[in-house]
Amino acid sequence: MSITLKLAWKSLLNRKTTALLTILTVAISVILLMGVERIRTQAKSSFANTISGTDLIVGGRSGQVNLLLYSVFRIGNATNNIDWKSFEEFSNHRAVKWAIPISLGDSHRGFRVMGTNHSYFEHYQYGQKQHLSLSKGEEFDNLFEAVIGSEVAKKLGYDIGTEIVIAHGISDVGFSRHENTPFKVVGILAPTGTPVDKTVHVSLEAIEAIHVGWESGANLGNNPSKEQLLEMDFHPKQITAMMIGLKSKIQTFALQRQINTYKQEPLSAILQVLPCMSYGA
């Protein structure tokens, strides 16, 4: 061993505590860096598998991550809703091929309830542009019919014909349930490995119907019977978010700018990208 190496080795032995701490610090830093990168990659992969084929996601003015979380992953709540007239205007825009309306806010035994229409079953895609499919039954067609995700059916033991009661808000407690308007399960979606599996799907009109008498956010006691509601004509007034597919990708940024500067109400349009995970991708 050369004199230089001997001196270096003796110096290291004299400072072994400091050297060990330095090695330990570097090792922890590398592990943390690899862990963060793994989480980033998995989150991005999870998002990519959850939704595909959608060009823009639109909601009330809020942060991009928050909009993604509640519209795609059913986590959290929207700060503002979208007026139905705004949805109609952009769904009929010359650049738009299809648009899916989404209405959130209710739940059933810990699972989120989502109001939508048949565009959801026709155009929503996940994974490698896979379409939703039913393992049993059919899409909802009448006011008080529901299509449930595979996880809902499995965990709660539901099947075609099961009657369920939707609760107002996220907490499914007695005083918040829409007891007078039970829904019948008419369809069960095939497993997707996405939040769709944990969602109860009903029509937008049904969302309007069950909230008659709940206009203040609480039950005012003026609740029409299910039979009375079936005789009424309901139309959506507001939605939580919408997903848009365009005729041409070239028009994406132009429409996004138009939505973000929309003067009728404050809206946010984001691309189908995880903003917090896009750097370094």
Side-chain angles (χ1 to χ4, degrees):
M1 187 180 291
S2 65
I3 297 176
T4 304
L5 289 176
K6 286 181 179 179
L7 290 173
W9 178 248
K10 288 182 179 180
S11 177
L12 185 62
L13 290 176
N14 288 334
R15 298 176 176 82
K16 58 183 177 182
T17 302
T18 304
L20 287 172
L21 287 174
T22 302
I23 293 170
L24 183 62
T25 301
V26 172
I28 291 173
S29 299
V30 171
I31 291 170
L32 286 173
L33 183 62
M34 291 177 66
V36 170
E37 177 62 19
R38 183 177 177 80
I39 292 171
R40 186 189 75 84
T41 303
Q42 288 181 338
K44 194 169 184 179
S45 175
S46 173
F47 179 76
N49 289 329
T50 299
I51 182 172
S52 66
T54 296
D55 296 305
L56 290 172
I57 300 171
V58 183
R61 185 68 55 79
S62 67
Q64 296 184 49
V65 174
N66 183 49
L67 174 52
L68 277 173
L69 288 176
Y70 71 73
S71 64
V72 177
F73 293 99
R74 321 280 195 264
I75 298 173
N77 295 298
T79 53
N80 293 294
N81 286 329
I82 302 174
D83 191 90
W84 182 251
K85 291 181 180 178
S86 299
F87 170 77
E88 288 184 317
E89 180 172 341
F90 288 111
S91 63
N92 293 319
H93 192 282
R94 64 181 183 278
V96 174
K97 185 176 182 181
W98 52 262
I100 300 171
I102 293 172
S103 183
L104 298 166
D106 294 321
S107 63
H108 172 70
R109 297 182 63 180
F111 294 100
R112 298 300 292 265
V113 173
M114 188 179 83
T116 187
N117 59 19
H118 293 287
S119 292
Y120 175 78
F121 300 105
E122 182 180 355
H123 299 293
Y124 186 88
Q125 297 178 50
Y126 66 97
Q128 300 301 313
K129 294 191 175 181
Q130 296 168 266
H131 288 272
L132 299 176
S133 62
L134 288 157
S135 62
K136 286 185 179 180
E138 58 189 10
E139 297 176 18
F140 52 71
D141 192 42
N142 294 318
L143 193 61
F144 295 110
E145 293 182 343
V147 174
I148 61 177
S150 60
E151 194 70 16
V152 180
K154 181 180 178 181
K155 286 199 172 182
L156 301 181
Y158 290 170
D159 207 338
I160 302 300
T162 301
E163 285 200 344
I164 64 175
V165 174
I166 290 175
H168 188 74
I170 306 302
S171 299
D172 192 342
V173 292
F175 63 83
S176 69
R177 292 179 186 141
H178 300 284
E179 298 280 4
N180 63 315
T181 53
F183 284 73
K184 183 174 75 171
V185 175
V186 296
I188 300 175
L189 290 166
T192 63
T194 73
V196 171
D197 298 343
K198 300 179 180 181
T199 305
V200 175
H201 308 85
V202 299
S203 68
L204 294 169
E205 291 77 15
I207 294 294
E208 294 292 330
I210 64 176
H211 289 104
V212 174
W214 294 72
E215 286 79 6
S216 67
N219 189 352
L220 301 178
N222 181 27
N223 305 121
S225 66
K226 186 174 181 178
E227 291 70 26
Q228 289 174 316
L229 291 171
L230 285 168
E231 294 177 359
M232 299 179 186
D233 191 18
F234 293 99
H235 298 283
K237 297 181 182 67
Q238 293 183 327
I239 57 173
T240 308
M242 58 177 156
M243 298 178 181
I244 291 176
L246 300 177
K247 296 175 182 177
S248 172
K249 304 290 184 184
I250 298 174
Q251 299 167 314
T252 302
F253 293 107
L255 183 59
Q256 182 187 29
R257 191 181 310 110
Q258 186 176 341
I259 294 173
N260 287 337
T261 57
Y262 188 54
K263 294 182 179 180
Q264 304 304 317
E265 63 175 325
L267 299 175
S268 292
I270 58 175
L271 304 176
Q272 187 194 301
V273 177
L274 260 178
C276 58
M277 300 290 173
S278 59
Y279 302 104

